Amino acid sequence: MKAVVTGGAGFIGSHLCDHLIAEGHQVVALDDLSTGCESNLKQLSGHPDFELVKGSVLDEVLVDDVVAAGDTVFHLAAAVGVHTIVDRPLESLRTNLHGTENVVEAAVRRRARYLVASTSEVYGKNDADGLSEDADRILGSPLKSRWSYAAAKGLDELVAYVHGGASGLPCVITRFFNIVGPRQTGRYGMVVPRFVDQALTGEPVTVYGEGTQRRCFGSVFDVVPAMVSLLETPAAHNRAVNLGGKEEVSISDLAQRVIDLTGSDSTVRHVPYEEAYGEGYEDMRRRMPDTSLAADLIDYEPRWRLDDIVG
Ligand code: NAD
């Protein structure tokens, strides 16, 4: 395989690069290093089958050039993290929508199969009270700046499907549910690395809201090989597939588990959502993947438990 990994210097992308190189493939990572960093790829530096190209997926000419060298494209580059999205919604929308158009169109021009990384957020809020004409809600989510991420990712899926169908090329969409593991940074609001950083430095572990919201964390080490298997499985082509973990936990329990596992003296501090994200912010009460489609398609079975991931 001659693989192109956009967002290859990021958390999931860098683990994917490691996996592909370990499996004997050639890899070119394309990343603008906005949230990713070169040190995530230091273990591959100088490897004859690996190259990092620094640049943006918004640069159409560069994208076409990079994709021309590949036969498989994993598109992971995106503006991520609640703070990035809430603070710069239009910039995020541009990266997440036009960047995907550039990458998918280049893949189609170059006849490369492709995978597009999407998110559980495309499902909107699964605890909405039912449908109403409430003008500030679209797809079950409040029409707030945060929605730019879910909206762009939903449209990314459409771009991927339509081009996949028209071109006949194998394409897969993966909907990630709270993936965690080494190299994930807490700087952009991701809860597990933020809690770990706070616990290790003895700061209060800050839980937004009451902490009763529930999440299910999946390991990057389960998800990365699944991405490759899905692209190699014809029954998965032109489908969106959930990938995540199995173990559900409340955010309060997660905070306590992180404190226990790190042997920290930190206490838990509750911070109102408004203080963390501004007025009117709404969080999802529960986000839990049904991964039975991935199980049917590729025998996906998450092996990593939350304690092992945090540990
Ligand atoms: P990440 O921030 O570590 O990775 C994203 C990478 O994209 C970074 O390296 C960043 O520098 C790069 N990037 C951003 N804008 C770019 C641009 N214009 N051009 C080139 N590179 C650019 O985040 P991640 O968690 O590894 O996410 C990878 C993908 O998975 C993203 O598409 C994200 O939306 C999706 N996803 C992740 C999760 C999760 O739980 N981690 C959940 C849902 C979806």
Side-chain angles (χ1 to χ4, degrees):
M1 191 194 303
K2 290 181 180 165
V4 172
V5 180
T6 74
F11 157 54
I12 300 176
S14 63
H15 286 285
L16 177 62
C17 291
D18 286 347
H19 176 78
L20 292 168
I21 289 288
E23 296 283 302
H25 303 295
Q26 292 174 23
V27 180
V28 178
L30 172 64
D31 202 298
D32 71 352
L33 305 180
S34 50
T35 55
C37 54
E38 241 174 311
S39 62
N40 283 343
L41 295 168
K42 61 178 183 303
Q43 67 291 354
L44 299 179
S45 145
H47 193 290
D49 290 331
F50 179 75
E51 186 189 356
L52 168 63
V53 175
K54 294 175 204 166
S56 175
V57 289
L58 292 171
D59 181 341
E60 210 176 316
V61 175
L62 176 67
V63 168
D64 194 60
D65 208 37
V66 169
V67 169
D71 53 34
T72 305
V73 178
F74 295 91
H75 175 48
L76 282 84
V80 304
V82 177
H83 287 296
T84 313
I85 291 149
V86 169
D87 294 346
R88 300 196 300 271
L90 291 178
E91 200 183 311
S92 305
L93 198 58
R94 237 178 112 237
T95 302
N96 294 355
L97 187 52
H98 297 315
T100 301
E101 278 177 335
N102 284 343
V103 173
V104 170
E105 284 169 13
V108 169
R109 261 194 310 276
R110 302 296 181 172
R111 303 298 300 165
R113 58 186 181 167
Y114 59 93
L115 177 147
V116 170
S118 186
T119 169
S120 57
E121 299 225 7
V122 297
Y123 291 114
K125 278 171 69 74
N126 66 1
D127 58 348
D129 305 328
L131 298 173
S132 77
E133 293 81 2
D134 195 350
D136 74 345
R137 299 186 85 86
I138 292 182
L139 294 180
S141 291
L143 184 53
K144 295 274 188 305
S145 47
R146 182 182 174 164
W147 191 73
S148 67
Y149 179 71
K153 287 285 184 180
L155 289 169
D156 285 352
E157 293 197 5
L158 192 64
V159 168
Y161 277 129
V162 172
H163 278 295
S167 66
L169 287 167
C171 102
V172 170
I173 293 142
T174 49
R175 291 184 182 145
F176 295 136
F177 283 67
N178 293 92
I179 309 307
V180 291
R183 300 183 199 149
Q184 189 176 39
T185 161
R187 264 176 294 161
Y188 308 104
M190 312 312 181
V191 66
V192 172
R194 182 167 60 79
F195 282 2
V196 171
D197 288 348
Q198 289 171 328
L200 289 177
T201 52
E203 289 171 43
V205 173
T206 46
V207 170
Y208 301 154
E210 288 174 3
T212 50
Q213 63 275 34
R214 301 182 72 76
R215 294 292 183 271
C216 181
F217 296 93
S219 165
V220 71
F221 298 120
D222 284 322
V223 157
V224 157
M227 294 165 74
V228 179
S229 300
L230 285 167
L231 211 37
E232 288 174 343
T233 303
H237 295 162
N238 237 6
R239 301 192 77 158
V241 184
N242 289 345
L243 289 177
K246 272 167 117 174
E247 217 181 324
E248 200 179 2
V249 65
S250 76
I251 296 300
S252 282
D253 287 350
L254 174 70
Q256 197 52 56
R257 262 161 94 167
V258 169
I259 289 170
D260 295 345
L261 284 163
T262 52
S264 168
D265 296 329
S266 291
T267 52
V268 174
R269 185 163 74 88
H270 289 265
V271 175
Y273 278 120
E274 304 79 64
E275 207 179 293
Y277 295 126
E279 205 59 40
Y281 182 83
E282 282 184 53
D283 203 4
M284 287 188 209
R285 303 303 312 156
R286 181 172 186 238
R287 193 191 286 148
M288 170 88 193
D290 175 348
T291 54
S292 51
L293 178 60
D296 287 349
L297 290 169
I298 56 165
D299 290 328
Y300 179 73
E301 173 65 27
R303 287 176 300 120
W304 284 73
R305 294 179 50 249
L306 184 59
D307 286 359
D308 303 326
I309 300 171
V310 173

